[in-house]
């Protein structure tokens, strides 16, 4: 079984995310990005996001719940904020964790972000997340 460290995940995001998702070029400049990165950089949070995805809960929904639990409240989430969160998690699952497929427009629970649907990722390679 392969290991994937949170340091590898966050380093890849910092180095390649905006090159892959050019529409998110401004995202690393806002507090939401820093808070999302803090959670993705936490092994406990990333394990929870991955585990919930593998049990049918879109990663965006889990990340939103974690942001709420950690007291992050968006001033007024924009359409770009919502899209960029989806792009960030798409990058993590497709480009870093190497999931093979996705299902779009999966309903998520009601949230203060106004996000109604998100992607779910399938085809998990054999790996564990480590600190």
């Amino acid at each position: 079984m392969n290991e994937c460290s949170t340091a590898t995940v966050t380093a890849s995001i910092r180095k390649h995310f905006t090159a892959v998702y050019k529409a998110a070029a401004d995202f690393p400049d806002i507090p939401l990005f820093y808070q999302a990165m803090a959670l993705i950089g936490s092994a406990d949070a990333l394990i929870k996001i991955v585990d919930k995805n593998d049990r049918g809960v879109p990663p965006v929904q889990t990340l939103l719940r974690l942001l709420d639990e950690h007291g992050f409240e968006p001033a007024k989430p924009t359409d770009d904020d919502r899209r960029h969160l989806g792009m960030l998690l798409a990058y993590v699952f497709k480009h870093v964790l190497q999931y093979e497929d996705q299902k779009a427009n999966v309903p998520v629970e009601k949230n203060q972000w106004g996000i109604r649907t998100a992607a779910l990722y399938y085809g998990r390679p054999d790996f564990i997340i480590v600190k």
Side-chain angles (χ1 to χ4, degrees), residues 10-25:
T10 56
S12 180
I13 292 168
R14 285 189 180 94
K15 188 171 183 181
H16 302 291
F17 171 64
T18 57
V20 174
Y21 291 93
K22 292 177 179 27

Side-chain angles (χ1 to χ4, degrees), residues 103-122:
K103 178 181 179 184
N105 299 316
V106 175
V108 299
E109 66 186 18
K110 187 174 180 168
N111 56 76
Q112 67 176 338
W113 297 79
I115 297 173
R116 294 188 195 117
T117 63
L120 193 59
Y121 300 92
Y122 298 100

Side-chain angles (χ1 to χ4, degrees), residues 1-119:
M1 181 171 289
N2 294 322
E3 292 184 350
C4 182
S5 73
T6 55
T8 299
V9 175
T10 56
S12 180
I13 292 168
R14 285 189 180 94
K15 188 171 183 181
H16 302 291
F17 171 64
T18 57
V20 174
Y21 291 93
K22 292 177 179 27
D26 296 342
F27 189 45
D29 299 330
I30 65 170
L32 174 57
F33 178 81
Y34 295 110
Q35 188 67 34
M37 286 292 286
L39 290 169
I40 290 168
S42 158
D44 291 337
L46 187 57
I47 289 167
K48 183 180 277 190
I49 291 167
V50 169
D51 183 55
K52 294 267 190 177
N53 174 82
D54 294 346
R55 291 194 275 142
V57 178
V60 166
Q61 178 174 317
T62 306
L63 180 60
L64 294 177
R65 182 172 285 162
L66 290 169
L67 286 167
D68 287 344
E69 288 173 7
H70 286 83
F72 185 83
E73 294 186 26
K76 182 174 185 200
T78 66
D79 287 342
D80 281 346
D81 292 339
R82 292 185 275 273
R83 277 192 297 275
H84 293 162
L85 280 176
M87 290 176 192
L88 179 61
L89 288 166
Y91 179 81
V92 169
F93 276 82
K94 292 163 60 173
H95 298 277
V96 182
L97 302 179
Q98 300 292 309
Y99 277 65
E100 296 174 358
D101 202 3
Q102 74 179 55
K103 178 181 179 184
N105 299 316
V106 175
V108 299
E109 66 186 18
K110 187 174 180 168
N111 56 76
Q112 67 176 338
W113 297 79
I115 297 173
R116 294 188 195 117
T117 63

